[in-house]
Amino acid sequence: KQEVTQIPAALSVPEGENLVLNCSFTDSAIYNLQWFRQDPGKGLTSLLLIQSSQREQTSGRLNASLDKSSGRSTLYIAASQPGDSATYLCAGRPLTGTASKLTFGTGTRLQVTL
Amino acid sequence: GAGVSQSPRYKVTKRGQDVALRCDPISGHVSLYWYRQALGQGPEFLTYFNYEAQQDKSGLPNDRFSAERPEGSISTLTIQRTEQRDSAMYRCASSGDTGEQYFGPGTRLTVT
């Protein structure tokens, strides 16, 4: 059974810092990977999708990479802002079986302080 | 355009009652997914549809849970004889050609 670990579980940084969130899968046979943001009491917002043929994806201050050989992904947030405070979840689609269902990590809770 | 919508947003029901949760996917998205999320955890897969066909229901906890998508658009997740352990956030997602999944706001189910 695929398990996804996100490190750290929680992180507090001052505004302006660059930071890295980590995600690792027990089964590295991942088809693609999505990073989501979840605000308290709200739904999940898709941030980035790394397709099977890609190694990384960028959107604004966010950059996500995927190393399929090791089953690890990182989300880099540049010049963090208080509005970035949220829980960040990574989720992977398996290479085999039901290739569409996502397996999620438990998330990294980020707080960016003034 | 409109995103994924779910109704009701909140549902409180008594143990033993049946509930039906609705999901309206993004227009044109052929794939639809149901997940369940406990507090402090990531969503867990329940079931998946491609058009009207239920492709995978391996995540449904037991036979009290069922889902349908009869016309390949709106989907309903039904829980029969609800139990307190069914209390959770139920989330629906849909995806199109890219496979990127877009989530609705969820239905918070509380079984008393």
Side-chain angles (χ1 to χ4, degrees):
Chain A
K1 178 186 174 184
Q2 176 75 277
E3 292 185 1
V4 184
T5 301
Q6 290 192 243
I7 295 173
L11 181 63
S12 181
V13 300
E15 182 180 14
E17 275 206 6
N18 303 324
L19 57 101
V20 175
L21 309 181
N22 298 287
C23 171
S24 63
F25 295 78
T26 53
D27 183 349
S28 61
I30 301 162
Y31 180 71
N32 64 23
L33 183 137
Q34 270 184 270
W35 280 92
F36 294 88
R37 167 187 175 135
Q38 184 169 23
D39 294 279
K42 302 286 182 63
L44 279 70
T45 302
S46 180
L47 297 173
L48 292 163
L49 167 69
I50 304 177
Q51 292 283 16
S52 57
S53 58
Q54 300 171 324
R55 288 190 176 181
E56 66 177 327
Q57 192 67 261
T58 298
S59 176
R61 295 182 292 108
L62 305 180
N63 175 275
S65 64
L66 174 61
D67 180 349
K68 287 189 175 182
S69 63
S70 65
R72 295 176 186 272
S73 177
T74 60
L75 177 67
Y76 176 82
I77 303 177
S80 57
Q81 302 172 357
D84 295 330
S85 299
T87 296
Y88 290 81
L89 296 158
C90 68
R93 282 177 54 178
L95 196 58
T96 59
T98 300
S100 290
K101 74 178 191 181
L102 289 173
T103 300
F104 281 82
T106 53
T108 293
R109 191 169 65 254
L110 172 66
Q111 183 174 11
V112 180
T113 58
L114 291 170
Chain B
V4 178
S5 61
Q6 293 185 245
S7 61
R9 293 291 308 278
Y10 303 90
K11 178 70 177 179
V12 180
T13 190
K14 292 187 176 181
R15 184 166 52 93
Q17 296 294 307
D18 298 350
V19 295
L21 312 181
R22 172 184 165 128
C23 173
D24 197 345
I26 291 172
S27 178
H29 279 189
V30 301
S31 299
L32 183 146
Y33 316 82
W34 284 98
Y35 294 85
R36 181 167 70 172
Q37 186 174 19
L39 206 60
Q41 302 293 317
E44 289 191 342
F45 172 80
L46 294 176
T47 187
Y48 151 63
F49 290 84
N50 202 35
Y51 295 99
E52 72 282 0
Q54 190 171 21
Q55 301 285 355
D56 185 347
K57 55 181 181 179
S58 62
L60 296 177
N62 51 60
D63 59 8
R64 295 186 296 106
F65 287 72
S66 63
E68 62 174 9
R69 194 187 184 197
E71 297 180 0
S73 180
I74 293 169
S75 177
T76 302
L77 176 69
T78 301
I79 309 173
Q80 295 179 314
R81 305 179 303 281
T82 52
E83 300 177 5
Q84 285 189 324
R85 60 179 173 158
D86 300 333
S87 297
M89 178 70 81
Y90 289 82
R91 298 195 184 276
C92 173
S94 69
S95 67
D97 292 344
T98 66
E100 185 169 4
Q101 295 191 21
Y102 296 89
F103 280 76
T107 294
R108 168 73 66 188
L109 174 66
T110 302
V111 182
T112 62

